[in-house]
Amino acid sequence: MLTQLHNVERNLNQVILGKPHQIRLALCCLLAEGHLLLEDLPGMGKTTLAHALADSLGLSYRRVQFTSDLLPGDLVGMNIYDSRSQQFRFQAGPVFSQVLLADEINRASPKTQSALLEAMEEKQVSIDGETRALPKPFFVIATQNPLFHAGTSALPESQLDRFMFRLSLGFPDRKAEHLLLQRDSSNSRLELLTEKLDLDQLRTLQQQVPQINASDSLIDYLLSLVEASRQRNDMLPLSPRASKAILRAAKAFALINNRDYVNADDVQQVFPYVAEHRLDPTSSAQESRLSTLILKATPCSI
Amino acid sequence: MLIPARLVTIWAVLQLGILLLLQQAFAVWMMALFASMLVYKLITHLSGRPAIGLKLVNLIAAVIAIALMFNLRQSGVLNFMLQILLLAAICRLLALKHSYDARQLVWVHYFLIGSCFVMHQDMLVALIIFFAFTVNLYSHFYLFAPSAVKVQWHQTGRSLLIILPLWLGMFLLFPRVPPFWQIPNAKIASSGLSDTLDPGSIEQLVRDDSLAFRAEFDGAPPSQDQLYWRSYLYEDFDGRRWQVNAVRKNRNRMPNITATGTTDNMQYRIIAEASRQYNLFALALPSKVNNDVYIGSGGLIKSNKPVSQRISYQVTGANTLIALATDNERDINLDVAEGNAETLNFARQLAKQHSTPAALVQAISAHFNQQDYYYSLTPPMLGSNSIDEFLFDTRTGFCSHYASATALILRAAGVPARVVGGYQGGVWHPQQGYLAVRQREAHAWVEYLYEDQWHLYDPTAAVAPERILDSLESALTLEQQQMLMSGWLELELLQNLRLQLMHLDYYWSVWVLGFNDNNQQAIWRNLRQHITLIAITFTTLLALIFAGFVFSWWRNRPLNSTHAATLLIQRQLGKLLQSKAANQSMSAFLRQLSAQHPTQRDWLILLTLSYEQAVFNNDTHALKSLQKQLKCNSKRLKILRRSIKNT
């Protein structure tokens, strides 16, 4: 199963050139059953990555382009009166899919954003007092433009907190871009994807993640990182949900790296991507100033 | 490997120090020669010039060795050996290039430093010698680990900590073995009184402030006017000088005097300074002594060999008169020699007026007391009939003048009499409980024979009773007192300091130098008496130490495999961890190590794996294999640690 995952990873690397680390982290996020936030300038390939991920996982996915006039109903669906049966019939929205691609999530109004919020956390939606469960698994892969761009409204802290990872692809290096231009073809690059994970495989992998071993001293180290954020006043303190997310992410990272235990390096690797947007919601994903600060200041004896 | 530059400097200075400490063994020209060789080495070395070639050094050494050999008779065997040894060390230093050349040199230094104790037993010098020893120890470690600064200091400190209790234990408990070989006597000028007493010899001693001996008494010390420390008997008179009779120079023991029925009423201990003489000191009539001394004829205490080191001995004696041993002794002490006619006349007149010696002595006292006689340390020079001139002309003198005049008068009057040389009084230190007798307490008095007993008579007491009852200073005028004081002594603080040092030196001589077989046996006896107590203390101590170990183990005990592995690797990597960033994980650090040392890569990677398994997976098997790997690779680890240190 893991080999298949690695095949998928290799395949993804052929689609998104020169970003192996981000791809691994993105896969790691999905294995950890977390939602993924991709933040980048327009045209950096974040939508492509989101597509490619959804594609590779072999899940049903829907894509919603968020705009300022998108209403919550457009997202979760609504009850429509069927004149023939003289009954209200539920018309499911795009959120009822295994993977929701929320493109440019910060263009939507806060009201719509918070509708997504419930769906992300509870894995269910309530429409007209009726609660409907979302399919399993349910991922949100959201992309957003950096906040200083026109026509964006910032995601509130509470909502940012629901994204396990925040990644930024950044510019490709010269060699990768060279290759990209060379291979330029009219076809979508997504056609390159041949290796896919089926649902069972994904589930099994996801079930393996919690079983990855995290020793006491590792948890101690993680807690000392978290506590460091709580003792400073130049950053938001990391919540227990955040520490849970860090551990889960580290476990998934260890799994991808073919280990049955988490080591300190795993924690150090995932920490910036899990913690930075929680420490400072206004920060840009390209930088990881605060999390690096914490990593540097916290001694590691293991 | 080339010799570290600093080491040469240290050794040059050390050898200069040894040269100074051993200076008594060297003639002036040798001192100058050796010192200039060392200074030359120091200067050339510090200015960065290379060492002298071996051939030239060998030539120099040969020439100097021959010169030393020619001097052998003057310097004596012991000094010659020290000279040759130091010459060898200096020449080795002159030609020193490689560190392996230096290995014997360090050991020779130890020997030279040790041999300084032949010359000195003072506490201060002992401290200096100990310091020189420490410097050499440091240089020893420096020689073998020139780059590891911490190691040198640590090792030096550790060695000293190990050595000190060992020294103390050996000193207290190791049986005193007699020397394997006789140390040839160093030829050094003697100090104190001498075989000859002429007017003026004591005058020089009086200017000498150094210590002659110390005395402790069992019970209260006798009063000052009873403290006549006998050392020499001057019985041969040639008209001007008094000399020790040949009979007194042989090693005859005094006939057993306990038979005379006197009871011993004094017990005291003398700690005599080195004087290079046989004669020691005693009050009145000693009957029993211990250690290397004996009671010679005339009741004088003598040493078996010249006193070249501070020695201590116990005396039991009576404060009574000394009996006449032989008739020959009487005859010797009646000789008046030639000259001094006036004195002889004067004596005969006195003899007609006073029949008994006691009356005669009283008359002499009265004469000195009633006529214009003065006590002075700067008497005028005397001519050939010295006693005539003193008695009837200058009338100024000090103890030896009065003593020799009185002895001559008594002899001329038909009473056998002799001059006794020794010390009178001393400075009593009540807190420390000892009497310090300095050279300036040197004194001369008279003994005359009456009814087969020698009676003590001190004519100086008639002229300057303060000299006897109090001290020498009080008998002098202010001007004379000032003449005695050397400049710095006037500072009260310094004087006090000097006194304290003297007390310290006293304890040193009592407890360290005076520590002998008897004391040692006493310690063993004591130990045996308190064997249960010692056993209990020892066991308790051991138990405490053991408990401490257990406690510290318990506090640092590994809580689980994770903790154990962390502790294990931290302990094994040790100083390597200095190059690990605090926030770096151990596995990342190990990976970095293997990147830095590609030759060590394989086992380091395996080690990382086991470590991670143990720490992050709570795998006890991995912990065991980690232990095994660390053990197998301990040598490589050592190499790694060293390479880190050197960078």
Side-chain angles (χ1 to χ4, degrees):
Chain A
M1 238 151 315
L2 211 53
T3 39
Q4 185 58 28
L5 184 70
H6 286 141
N7 289 339
V8 168
E9 191 185 356
R10 209 171 311 120
N11 210 191
L12 279 171
N13 273 318
Q14 287 163 354
V15 177
I16 318 289
L17 294 168
K19 296 289 165 197
H21 189 54
Q22 280 83 346
I23 286 171
R24 177 160 284 204
L25 285 166
L27 282 175
C28 164
C29 175
L30 299 187
L31 285 190
E33 296 177 60
H35 305 294
L36 178 63
L37 179 63
L38 293 170
E39 182 186 296
D40 250 320
L41 294 169
M44 303 291 275
K46 51 186 187 298
T47 314
T48 316
L49 174 65
H51 265 293
L53 277 175
D55 245 8
S56 308
L57 298 178
L59 302 171
S60 69
Y61 69 93
R62 301 278 288 278
R63 180 187 164 183
V64 183
Q65 179 69 43
F66 279 40
T67 54
S68 52
D69 56 356
L70 189 78
L71 294 173
D74 298 334
L75 203 60
V76 296
M78 56 191 83
N79 287 317
I80 295 169
Y81 185 71
D82 187 356
S83 52
R84 208 177 312 154
S85 62
Q86 300 203 330
Q87 269 179 344
F88 279 100
R89 187 170 52 79
F90 179 66
Q91 178 71 47
V95 87
F96 286 89
S97 65
Q98 286 164 321
V99 176
L100 175 68
L101 286 184
D103 240 352
E104 302 189 70
I105 189 172
N106 56 346
R107 283 173 164 266
S109 62
K111 193 175 178 183
T112 316
Q113 287 176 355
S114 61
L116 189 61
L117 186 107
E118 192 198 351
M120 281 165 72
E121 186 58 24
E122 319 281 327
K123 312 240 160 138
Q124 62 183 26
V125 286
S126 309
I127 299 145
D128 299 340
E130 200 177 335
T131 305
R132 287 169 196 276
L134 293 176
K136 268 190 176 175
F138 174 71
F139 291 134
V140 175
I141 301 175
T143 70
Q144 73 171 356
N145 292 324
L147 291 179
F148 53 85
H149 277 244
T152 60
S153 55
L155 286 173
E157 287 147 32
S158 55
Q159 200 157 344
L160 265 180
D161 192 35
R162 277 156 178 75
F163 287 101
M164 185 180 260
F165 274 74
R166 186 180 68 167
L167 293 177
S168 159
L169 285 172
F171 293 105
D173 58 24
R174 196 183 166 96
K175 214 171 112 193
E177 200 165 353
H178 190 274
L179 207 62
L180 184 83
L181 297 178
Q182 214 171 32
R183 286 208 202 143
D184 187 26
S185 61
S186 51
N187 293 336
S188 164
R189 300 186 59 83
L190 295 178
E191 286 169 17
L192 288 169
L193 287 176
T194 50
E195 301 284 350
K196 291 187 179 178
L197 220 56
D198 63 34
L199 192 60
D200 280 345
Q201 286 173 325
L202 181 67
R203 278 215 178 115
T204 325
L205 282 174
Q206 282 180 336
Q207 277 159 13
Q208 278 174 14
V209 171
Q211 287 158 19
I212 299 287
N213 217 333
S215 70
D216 286 346
S217 45
L218 179 104
I219 290 174
D220 278 341
Y221 173 58
L222 197 158
L223 286 179
S224 60
L225 287 176
V226 171
E227 270 164 16
S229 79
R230 294 175 191 167
Q231 277 155 13
R232 301 180 61 114
N233 49 14
D234 55 349
M235 54 181 74
L236 290 175
L238 289 173
S239 61
R241 173 159 47 197
S243 44
K244 245 169 92 183
I246 296 166
L247 184 60
R248 179 60 80 89
K251 281 180 171 180
F253 198 77
L255 180 67
I256 296 183
N257 283 306
N258 215 349
R259 267 185 280 109
D260 59 348
Y261 57 86
V262 186
N263 67 19
D265 292 336
D266 294 331
V267 176
Q268 293 184 353
Q269 290 282 335
V270 299
F271 186 75
Y273 307 98
V274 183
E276 187 67 27
H277 59 285
R278 295 174 158 96
L279 292 169
D280 180 9
T282 61
S283 67
S284 124
Q286 271 116 348
E287 60 179 46
S288 51
R289 188 175 59 85
L290 294 174
S291 46
T292 317
L293 201 71
I294 289 179
L295 280 178
K296 280 217 170 121
T298 312
C300 175
S301 64
I302 50 171
Chain B
M1 201 161 69
L2 279 178
I3 185 94
R6 193 201 280 183
L7 215 47
V8 178
T9 320
I10 292 176
W11 281 341
V13 175
L14 184 68
Q15 289 188 356
L16 266 175
I18 294 174
L19 183 66
L20 282 179
L21 281 171
L22 289 176
Q23 53 144 325
Q24 289 176 6
F26 293 84
V28 178
W29 65 269
M30 297 175 202
M31 284 286 287
L33 186 63
F34 286 5
S36 56
M37 279 162 85
L38 283 172
V39 170
Y40 168 80
K41 175 69 193 175
L42 207 57
I43 291 172
T44 50
H45 175 69
L46 288 179
S47 59
R49 268 180 279 167
I52 307 172
L54 199 60
K55 274 185 192 163
L56 183 61
V57 170
N58 278 340
L59 191 70
I60 294 173
V63 171
I64 297 178
I66 290 169
L68 291 180
M69 223 143 9
F70 274 114
N71 212 42
L72 172 59
R73 191 169 273 203
Q74 263 185 11
S75 40
V77 180
L78 173 73
N79 291 349
F80 175 72
M81 283 178 349
L82 291 175
Q83 288 157 9
I84 286 289
L85 205 57
L86 191 58
L87 173 69
I90 292 175
C91 287
R92 177 34 101 211
L93 188 64
L94 281 180
L96 205 57
K97 275 196 186 116
H98 301 281
S99 58
Y100 51 78
D101 291 333
R103 292 187 185 166
Q104 319 91 326
L105 190 57
V106 187
W107 294 106
V108 174
H109 282 162
Y110 284 123
F111 192 85
L112 277 169
I113 290 169
S115 63
C116 292
F117 280 116
V118 177
M119 305 288 162
H120 304 276
Q121 291 85 38
D122 280 350
M123 186 184 50
L124 277 178
V125 183
L127 279 178
I128 294 171
I129 294 174
F130 183 72
F131 176 71
F133 169 80
T134 313
V135 170
N136 199 43
L137 194 66
Y138 172 75
S139 73
H140 205 158
F141 285 115
Y142 197 97
L143 179 65
F144 284 93
S147 53
V149 182
K150 259 192 180 168
V151 175
Q152 297 147 10
W153 286 112
H154 280 191
Q155 287 302 327
T156 311
R158 203 178 293 171
S159 308
L160 286 182
L161 278 185
I162 295 170
I163 287 169
L164 282 176
L166 216 63
W167 265 358
L168 208 63
M170 296 275 270
F171 175 76
L172 289 178
L173 302 177
F174 196 76
R176 289 284 192 278
V177 186
F180 295 122
W181 63 86
Q182 193 75 38
I183 294 178
N185 282 316
K187 292 199 170 175
I188 301 158
S190 58
S191 62
L193 294 161
S194 67
D195 283 359
T196 317
L197 181 85
D198 57 32
S201 60
I202 286 191
E203 183 197 10
Q204 275 166 11
L205 280 182
V206 163
R207 292 170 195 278
D208 186 354
D209 203 33
S210 63
L211 200 67
F213 62 95
R214 295 182 175 99
E216 326 171 271
F217 297 92
D218 289 2
S223 61
Q224 282 279 332
D225 59 347
Q226 288 187 337
L227 294 172
Y228 280 90
W229 301 99
R230 301 167 84 240
S231 183
Y232 281 92
L233 291 178
Y234 302 106
E235 290 164 310
D236 287 359
F237 182 56
D238 65 356
R240 179 178 169 84
R241 279 180 307 170
W242 292 83
Q243 274 185 318
V244 174
N245 189 278
V247 178
R248 306 286 178 206
K249 286 183 186 167
N250 65 25
R251 295 194 157 203
N252 287 346
R253 313 234 154 186
M254 187 155 93
N256 198 356
I257 18 91
T258 44
T260 58
T262 58
T263 46
D264 294 337
N265 54 7
M266 279 194 301
Q267 272 220 341
Y268 50 93
R269 196 155 100 109
I270 304 277
I271 301 144
E273 300 292 304
S275 62
R276 285 103 204 164
Q277 298 191 19
Y278 289 98
N279 284 42
L280 291 163
F281 324 95
L283 288 172
L285 185 61
S287 62
K288 251 188 282 173
V289 289
N290 71 344
N291 291 0
D292 272 352
V293 299
Y294 65 93
I295 306 172
S297 67
L300 301 178
I301 292 186
K302 294 190 175 191
S303 164
N304 287 326
K305 51 188 182 204
V307 182
S308 57
Q309 300 179 358
R310 188 179 282 178
I311 66 163
S312 90
Y313 56 93
Q314 188 86 32
V315 187
T316 313
N319 202 1
T320 49
L321 301 172
I322 298 150
L324 177 68
T326 57
D327 287 340
N328 183 35
E329 204 176 314
R330 186 202 309 271
D331 297 341
I332 295 169
N333 286 309
L334 280 170
D335 182 19
V336 292
E338 288 173 10
N340 296 315
E342 268 186 83
T343 311
L344 300 186
N345 274 334
F346 172 70
R348 282 174 201 131
Q349 278 176 9
L350 273 182
K352 277 176 201 160
Q353 293 165 14
H354 306 279
S355 53
T356 63
L360 203 58
V361 161
Q362 277 215 322
I364 297 170
S365 283
H367 177 73
F368 285 143
N369 207 352
Q370 285 156 18
Q371 311 257 348
D372 283 343
Y373 283 95
Y374 301 101
Y375 185 79
S376 167
L377 286 177
T378 49
M381 297 287 286
L382 300 173
S384 53
N385 285 325
S386 58
I387 293 186
D388 275 3
E389 284 175 40
F390 163 67
L391 269 182
F392 304 109
D393 195 5
T394 64
R395 294 176 178 233
T396 305
F398 50 93
C399 56
S400 56
H401 293 92
Y402 289 99
S404 43
T406 307
L408 188 65
I409 293 171
L410 285 170
R411 282 184 176 192
V415 179
R418 60 192 181 191
V419 176
V420 186
Y423 298 84
Q424 205 286 317
V427 183
W428 176 250
H429 297 285
Q431 267 179 336
Q432 289 73 25
Y434 71 87
L435 183 85
V437 181
R438 294 161 300 173
Q439 295 294 356
R440 65 160 53 169
E441 259 95 36
H443 192 54
W445 61 94
V446 173
E447 281 176 355
Y448 64 93
L449 191 69
Y450 177 57
E451 289 178 343
D452 282 357
Q453 298 268 327
W454 288 102
H455 293 259
L456 185 151
Y457 167 59
D458 188 356
T460 315
V463 186
E466 313 84 20
R467 165 70 183 88
I468 311 303
L469 290 173
D470 199 351
S471 69
L472 175 69
E473 280 91 341
S474 54
L476 299 174
T477 61
L478 199 66
E479 198 181 341
Q480 283 174 325
Q481 282 183 30
Q482 275 172 352
M483 187 194 75
L484 274 183
M485 296 217 199
S486 35
W488 62 275
L489 261 180
E490 288 165 43
L491 284 171
E492 202 175 328
L493 188 77
L494 277 178
Q495 205 169 0
N496 203 9
L497 195 75
R498 216 173 60 109
L499 200 66
Q500 293 303 327
L501 268 178
M502 195 173 79
H503 292 330
L504 216 64
D505 195 48
Y506 164 72
Y507 291 124
W508 170 260
S509 42
V510 170
W511 293 108
V512 180
L513 299 180
F515 190 83
N516 56 21
D517 297 356
N518 292 341
N519 303 75
Q520 200 167 53
Q521 279 158 15
I523 286 188
W524 276 114
R525 265 198 305 278
N526 258 328
L527 285 182
R528 228 169 292 146
Q529 265 175 15
H530 301 289
I531 192 80
T532 33
L533 190 69
I534 291 166
I536 290 170
T537 323
F538 204 67
T539 333
T540 322
L541 213 65
L542 272 183
L544 276 178
I545 292 171
F546 181 72
F549 269 120
V550 168
F551 181 68
S552 75
W553 173 84
W554 180 79
R555 277 193 63 181
N556 299 324
R557 76 196 185 285
L559 298 167
N560 44 42
S561 137
T562 307
H563 193 198
T566 315
L567 280 182
L568 187 68
I569 204 139
Q570 277 174 354
R571 210 171 300 147
Q572 289 291 325
L573 292 184
K575 294 208 167 117
L576 270 178
L577 289 177
Q578 284 171 359
S579 60
K580 168 184 173 296
N583 61 350
Q584 194 176 23
S585 73
M586 194 63 79
S587 353
F589 174 68
L590 288 172
R591 250 179 277 124
Q592 175 197 318
L593 264 188
S594 61
Q596 282 167 355
H597 305 273
T599 47
Q600 314 284 340
R601 190 165 170 273
D602 294 345
W603 70 271
L604 274 174
I605 284 176
L606 284 176
L607 189 77
T608 317
L609 277 179
S610 306
Y611 171 73
E612 288 206 344
Q613 280 289 342
V615 170
F616 299 114
N617 227 357
N618 283 335
D619 186 342
T620 41
H621 292 293
L623 178 65
K624 268 177 202 151
S625 72
L626 178 72
Q627 276 168 341
K628 218 177 283 170
Q629 284 173 24
L630 283 171
K631 208 181 251 177
C632 291
N633 295 305
S634 62
K635 269 189 191 160
R636 292 168 174 164
L637 263 176
K638 212 182 251 175
I639 295 170
L640 277 184
R641 279 199 292 264
R642 206 167 294 158
S643 71
I644 293 278
K645 253 177 237 161
N646 291 340
T647 46

